[in-house]
Amino acid sequence: MTPPDPASRPGRLGVGVVGSGRVGAVLGSALRGAGHPVVAVSAISEASRERAATLLPGVPVLDIPEVVRRSELVLLTVPDDALADLVRGLADVGAWQVGQIVVHTSGRFGVDVLAPARAAGVIPLALHPAMTFTGTSLDLARLVGCSFAVTAPSPVLPIGQALVVEIGGEPVVLAEEARGLYHAALAHGANHLVVLVAQAAQALAAAGVGDPGRMLGPLLEAALDGALRAEGTDGPGAINALTGPVRRGDAGTVREHGVALTTFAAATGAVDVVAGYRALARSATGRALAAGLISPAAAQELLDGINEDAGALHVEDGPDPQEDE
């Protein structure tokens, strides 16, 4: 039996995508796959135009006011800092239409940023996917099961939840006032994980490891999996998956790490590795102590080792990271 065409489902909306970056083009394609026709897209850079042509073939590329004019659902996928001015500017030229659904994908904002559009009678939704995007068709499969933070006025909250479900995501209702903390938590986890991997890979390369990524991959995947599994239990959370010298209370090893990394930083200028290691080791010690994984005496000894000669190397001791620029 042939499955029904998604476009034949009731309640299909003409979608306009404002900003065909990595997120906009992928979400536009996902909505199209759910049967919502994409009627127009805005794209300024050559990369955005190529992305739109690949993921949204046949969709006309128009200026932003015309995209909004043609759309029943407007998807705003512009940078956070540009969102408020864009919404206000479109309100100033009378672009918003009564009953139009306006969705933005910023993690930082809820629906308050859409106030100028709400004054014109639109239905405001904030839908933020908790994942990183490559801007390719690979992202479409990754949307399945992806959590979306949904913020909206109570009467229209089901619309946002339904849109997320239609593209395979899992809606998580989030209060307006919680968006800042929510986004900071995601950025801290995902973005700083990338920094941590970059630091570890640089140190491994300096130690003579030819392929740091291949060495780190299994270790980090196991650590991440263990932490996420522990976070889902009734115990102390992700810290219960902690391994290594802090978990063992091995202050001598932690002290030697500091010496090795300080020597490495002096030779390469990568002083952020030392600072990062010490900050995270202190945090690991505090959380391990609070979770009952180590004793107060072991924690104090660890902290003494971490803080030893902590001020010996400063940023000015290494090359200026901006010097080449």
Side-chain angles (χ1 to χ4, degrees), residues 208-239:
V209 176
D211 189 349
R214 185 173 182 179
M215 178 175 283
L216 284 170
L219 176 67
L220 298 187
E221 287 170 6
L224 179 59
D225 182 66
L228 293 176
R229 288 178 184 274
E231 188 60 37
T233 67
D234 294 331
I239 197 65

Side-chain angles (χ1 to χ4, degrees), residues 76-87 104-109 113 128 179 183 187:
L76 303 176
T77 58
V78 297
D80 290 355
D81 287 348
L83 181 58
D85 288 342
L86 173 63
V87 174
H104 79 71
T105 59
S106 167
R108 171 182 166 191
F109 296 109
V113 72
H128 178 254
R179 296 287 291 208
H183 196 233

